[in-house]
């Protein structure tokens, strides 16, 4: 059984993961509107992964005897100054999520809640990947600068993204 404080904190994280999915879906539609179909596909996959992150939390809260409380999801931004800005914001958003995952982990340690602590380790590891991937894309944008052909090639590259096998396995957990 988890504490009320932990239950509330996990529910807040559930809301953040749902917002993440909503935000990335909004980014996908922005790219679609700019005819950057590869980037749109990349973001749709990202949105789907965030949905899986939220469902993992929802299942865990219920499994451990907590009550899931679905709160309102904030309206995401719908427009950006450039494709680069979108990925810069993606990186910032992932850093924000990492900060909260770390705080949740601190709380689990403080409460000696070993099952939640173990559950959260997956998110700790996932955040390392999430930040690294977003950072790599930002660096690629910096390399291509204002080159239209560079943007075209990056769009092609990001469009080749496939669902991570890691995520597919996790979905079945
Ligand atoms: Fe679920 Fe991208 O953090």
């Amino acid at each position: 059984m988890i504490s009320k404080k932990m239950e509330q904190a996990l529910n807040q994280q559930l809301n953040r993961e749902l917002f993440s999915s909503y935000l990335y879906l909004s980014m996908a539609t922005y790219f679609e509107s700019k005819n950057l179909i590869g980037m749109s596909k990349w973001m749709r996959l990202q949105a789907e992964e965030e949905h899986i992150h939220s469902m993992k939390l929802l299942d865990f809260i219920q499994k451990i005897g907590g009550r899931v409380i679905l709160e309102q999801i904030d309206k995401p931004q719908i427009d950006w100054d450039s494709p680069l800005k979108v990925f810069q914001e993606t990186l910032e958003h992932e850093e924000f999520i990492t900060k909260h995952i770390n705080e949740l982990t601190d709380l689990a340690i403080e409460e000696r809640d070993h099952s939640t602590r173990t559950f959260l380790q997956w998110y700790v590891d996932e955040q390392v990947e999430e930040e690294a991937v977003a950072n790599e894309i930002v660096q690629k944008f910096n390399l291509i600068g204002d080159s239209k052909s560079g943007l075209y090639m990056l769009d092609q590259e990001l469009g080749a993204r496939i669902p991570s096998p890691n995520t597919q396995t996790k979905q079945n957990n």
Side-chain angles (χ1 to χ4, degrees), residues 17 46 50 53 94 97 127 130:
E17 299 287 350
Q46 188 69 12
E50 297 301 349
H53 296 177
E94 290 303 331
I97 293 293
Q127 284 313 117
E130 296 274 76

Side-chain angles (χ1 to χ4, degrees), residues 99-120:
K99 174 177 157 291
H100 282 287
I101 294 292
N102 288 342
E103 284 173 5
L104 272 170
T105 306
D106 288 345
L107 180 61
I109 291 168
E110 190 186 306
E111 294 195 353
R112 298 178 180 225
D113 180 345
H114 299 295
S115 48
T116 304
R117 166 76 188 87
T118 303
F119 168 75
L120 288 171

Side-chain angles (χ1 to χ4, degrees), residues 2-171:
I2 49 171
S3 70
K4 277 288 153 200
K5 191 174 176 184
M6 181 56 84
E7 180 189 77
Q8 191 179 26
L10 290 172
N11 269 300
Q12 284 169 342
Q13 187 59 30
L14 168 58
N15 184 269
R16 282 184 207 106
E17 299 287 350
L18 287 169
F19 173 75
S20 300
S21 182
Y22 217 30
L23 174 64
Y24 294 141
L25 199 55
S26 183
M27 289 172 169
T29 62
Y30 163 82
F31 283 132
E32 183 87 27
S33 76
K34 301 289 176 196
N35 289 319
L36 290 164
I37 307 306
M39 292 183 192
S40 177
K41 185 186 163 197
W42 192 96
M43 276 300 170
R44 277 183 79 123
L45 279 175
Q46 188 69 12
E48 284 169 20
E49 289 203 359
E50 297 301 349
H51 186 70
I52 292 167
H53 296 177
S54 63
M55 291 305 105
K56 278 178 75 79
L57 270 159
L58 181 144
D59 288 342
F60 178 75
I61 295 167
Q62 294 188 138
K63 200 187 286 181
I64 206 155
R67 177 78 171 90
V68 170
I69 308 288
L70 294 175
E71 299 286 354
Q72 183 171 322
I73 304 168
D74 289 341
K75 182 179 177 182
Q77 191 174 333
I78 55 169
D79 210 0
W80 286 266
D81 291 340
S82 68
L84 168 60
K85 288 272 186 215
V86 178
F87 282 99
Q88 283 173 333
E89 191 182 313
T90 299
L91 177 57
E92 282 166 22
H93 183 69
E94 290 303 331
E95 288 167 349
F96 164 81
I97 293 293
T98 299
K99 174 177 157 291
H100 282 287
I101 294 292
N102 288 342
E103 284 173 5
L104 272 170
T105 306
D106 288 345
L107 180 61
I109 291 168
E110 190 186 306
E111 294 195 353
R112 298 178 180 225
D113 180 345
H114 299 295
S115 48
T116 304
R117 166 76 188 87
T118 303
F119 168 75
L120 288 171
Q121 186 59 47
W122 182 87
Y123 288 84
V124 171
D125 296 340
E126 179 74 2
Q127 284 313 117
V128 174
E129 285 302 311
E130 296 274 76
E131 284 192 33
V133 169
N135 187 45
E136 192 183 307
I137 297 172
V138 169
Q139 296 313 319
K140 284 182 178 170
F141 267 102
N142 289 337
L143 276 175
I144 64 175
D146 293 331
S147 161
K148 288 246 187 291
S149 58
L151 182 64
Y152 175 78
M153 284 172 67
L154 187 52
D155 188 56
Q156 298 278 306
E157 182 186 325
L158 295 181
R161 177 179 181 178
I162 52 169
S164 118
N166 195 21
T167 304
Q168 287 176 319
T169 311
K170 282 173 261 171
Q171 202 168 6

